[in-house]
Amino acid sequence: MGFGFALRLAAIAMGYALSVTAPFAQINDYLGLPGPIALGGEQYELAWSSNPQDNYIKHEYVPAGQTVEAFEDMVIIETLIGAIEPLQAAAAQVENLNQGRPNDPLLNMDLIENEASGEALLDFLLSDRTAEGELVIEWNAYRYAPYEDGEGNAGILLFALSHRAYGEENGRAFLESLGTFRTDQIQALASAPLPEPAN
């Protein structure tokens, strides 16, 4: 389906593009973060990983029983080494969302900067339909933070939550509960210790 809103940090332009998760790819723990990752009352296991460029690594985690191809709940951890600040990455994502989905009636987002920590938190809501016409609604919270790898190279770290609902009925219920759910999930993400990649 034409749906996938994970940030591809490797592209400095921050083009939000379709996620290309390979369903049978070997899972490598590139970051030294095998999981489980505990967040918002849920446990997430490493389910997919990629190291497409030397300076960019991405891990996706889902709860037991879910898959990255049809998840309802996901944690994403990415690192990018390079001359980019958290707020720049978040602002680029906002621009790409606005350009990439101008006809999405549910597109909505909010960006908060934490000047004290140098972090930025972007949450956004999107919708799409599968090739079969099924409605899919996705809400994301992306926490961008300064990062330094083991060799002292600077960059940014993305620590993110993603939740999906499939179908008209589930989508309606998802939107009705989003107010409280969103507040709780943002609080959980913002207050959680940042992952500490070993690599």
Side-chain angles (χ1 to χ4, degrees):
M1 65 182 172
F3 196 95
F5 305 103
L7 175 66
R8 299 181 65 187
L9 286 173
I12 296 299
M14 296 298 166
Y16 107 84
L18 299 181
S19 176
V20 286
T21 301
F24 302 109
Q26 182 177 356
I27 301 169
N28 293 309
D29 180 14
Y30 296 108
L31 294 172
L33 295 169
I37 304 292
L39 191 60
E42 188 68 79
Q43 298 283 324
Y44 297 83
E45 304 283 348
L46 181 60
W48 184 81
S49 60
S50 179
N51 184 195
Q53 297 183 12
D54 289 343
N55 66 336
Y56 172 59
I57 296 173
K58 176 173 183 169
H59 280 191
E60 295 180 347
Y61 303 77
V62 296
Q66 295 189 29
T67 67
V68 294
E69 295 78 34
F71 71 89
E72 294 179 1
D73 312 284
M74 178 181 283
V75 163
I76 303 163
I77 300 173
E78 303 183 12
T79 61
L80 174 68
I81 300 302
I84 187 167
E85 300 293 328
L87 187 59
Q88 288 178 302
Q93 179 72 343
V94 167
E95 182 178 349
N96 288 322
L97 287 167
N98 282 324
Q99 291 179 355
R101 299 196 63 77
N103 299 318
D104 184 350
L106 291 183
L107 178 62
N108 199 354
M109 66 193 85
D110 188 37
L111 176 60
I112 302 169
E113 180 184 9
N114 184 333
E115 293 183 5
S117 67
E119 296 184 13
L121 197 150
L122 171 66
D123 80 285
F124 54 99
L125 180 70
L126 298 162
S127 65
D128 203 349
R129 291 192 179 270
T130 67
E132 295 75 27
E134 181 183 39
L135 175 66
V136 184
I137 297 174
E138 182 175 301
W139 175 80
N140 300 273
Y142 282 10
R143 180 181 173 187
Y144 302 86
Y147 172 70
E148 188 175 285
D149 69 11
E151 298 178 356
N153 301 305
I156 58 174
L157 180 142
L158 173 69
F159 188 26
L161 272 170
S162 185
H163 298 284
R164 282 184 181 176
Y166 300 84
E168 302 288 342
E169 185 175 341
N170 289 337
R172 190 177 305 111
F174 183 80
L175 291 175
E176 289 174 353
S177 66
L178 188 59
T180 300
F181 178 78
R182 173 180 177 267
T183 299
D184 292 344
Q185 291 290 292
I186 288 175
Q187 177 61 33
L189 181 65
S191 62
L194 285 169
E196 297 183 4
N199 302 330

